[in-house]
Amino acid sequence: MTPRIACRTAAAAALMIAVTGILFAQSASPPAAPPGVTGLAPVPPVGFGAAFPAAKFENVNDVPGQPAAIDLTTYLGKKPIVFVYWMAGNPRSEKVLLDALAAVEKVGADKVAFLPIAAPAFGSTDLGPLKARIAALKLKAPVLNDEGFRLLQELQVHAVPNIAIVDGEGKLRMTNGGSLTQSLEYKLDVEG
């Protein structure tokens, strides 16, 4: 190798190391919450196989006969729970929500709890648009208001729709499912 090529190779390697160091330093610290946004207390994620924590959430579904709040203790450890974190007005998100509802209804609501999760747009507290969309979709299931984005953090939601499953013992068994037809290990899909 000529001295000129060796020098260029060393310079390229040094540049790559410097860029990697800068990117690592930038990604090592989590991004700060936008200024002025309140109610974003950090919540630790729930690990696979760990007991899902009980909490109470406002039910934003105004269908007659619905409770004002949902306490997860009434479900945890009694039957499996299918959570679907969705976004009102997002066509794919709403399709996965309705597909998951149909799958749960096929199994039987007495055997599996279906708990959709939603929140108003980030930084907003206006539940009006969310409630209007729930009514337009004719959802009869309670819809948990993820105030403070607690469930988003516990389930490590990075994109919507997001399907998560808690087993009959109250342990988290799956999160970040994007579709009922998403393949899992052993030729099983999310719906299965």
Side-chain angles (χ1 to χ4, degrees):
M1 181 182 302
T2 67
R4 186 179 215 176
I5 294 174
C7 185
R8 284 184 184 165
T9 304
L15 179 62
M16 286 177 50
I17 291 169
V19 169
T20 303
I22 291 168
L23 292 175
F24 179 75
Q26 289 175 346
S27 66
S29 59
V37 177
T38 59
L40 290 176
V43 177
V46 178
F48 177 81
F52 200 81
K56 288 184 182 179
F57 296 92
E58 175 187 8
N59 180 6
V60 291
N61 191 344
D62 288 338
V63 171
Q66 287 280 329
I70 301 298
D71 187 345
L72 293 182
T73 58
T74 60
Y75 300 95
L76 291 169
K78 295 174 179 71
K79 59 182 169 180
I81 302 170
V82 175
F83 290 113
V84 177
Y85 210 110
W86 64 287
M87 181 186 299
N90 178 292
R92 182 173 182 281
S93 184
E94 290 179 353
K95 180 181 181 333
V96 169
L97 170 72
L98 296 174
D99 289 349
L101 173 60
V104 168
E105 286 176 342
K106 190 176 6 175
V107 171
D110 57 327
K111 296 179 184 164
V112 178
F114 181 68
L115 296 175
I117 306 165
F122 188 74
S124 172
T125 56
D126 183 13
L127 294 172
L130 180 56
K131 289 182 177 191
R133 195 63 197 143
I134 291 167
L137 292 171
K138 298 179 180 164
L139 288 178
K140 293 182 175 54
V143 177
L144 308 182
N145 176 18
D146 193 17
E147 186 176 4
F149 299 99
R150 174 190 176 122
L151 290 165
L152 179 127
Q153 295 174 78
E154 288 176 337
L155 295 171
Q156 299 182 60
V157 174
H158 300 291
V160 292
N162 185 304
I163 302 169
I165 297 174
V166 173
D167 70 14
E169 294 177 4
K171 295 178 181 176
L172 183 64
R173 293 298 174 191
M174 189 193 88
T175 189
N176 289 305
S179 157
L180 293 182
T181 58
Q182 178 178 334
S183 295
L184 302 174
E185 292 184 69
Y186 309 112
K187 299 182 182 180
L188 181 69
D189 60 20
V190 173
E191 184 175 8

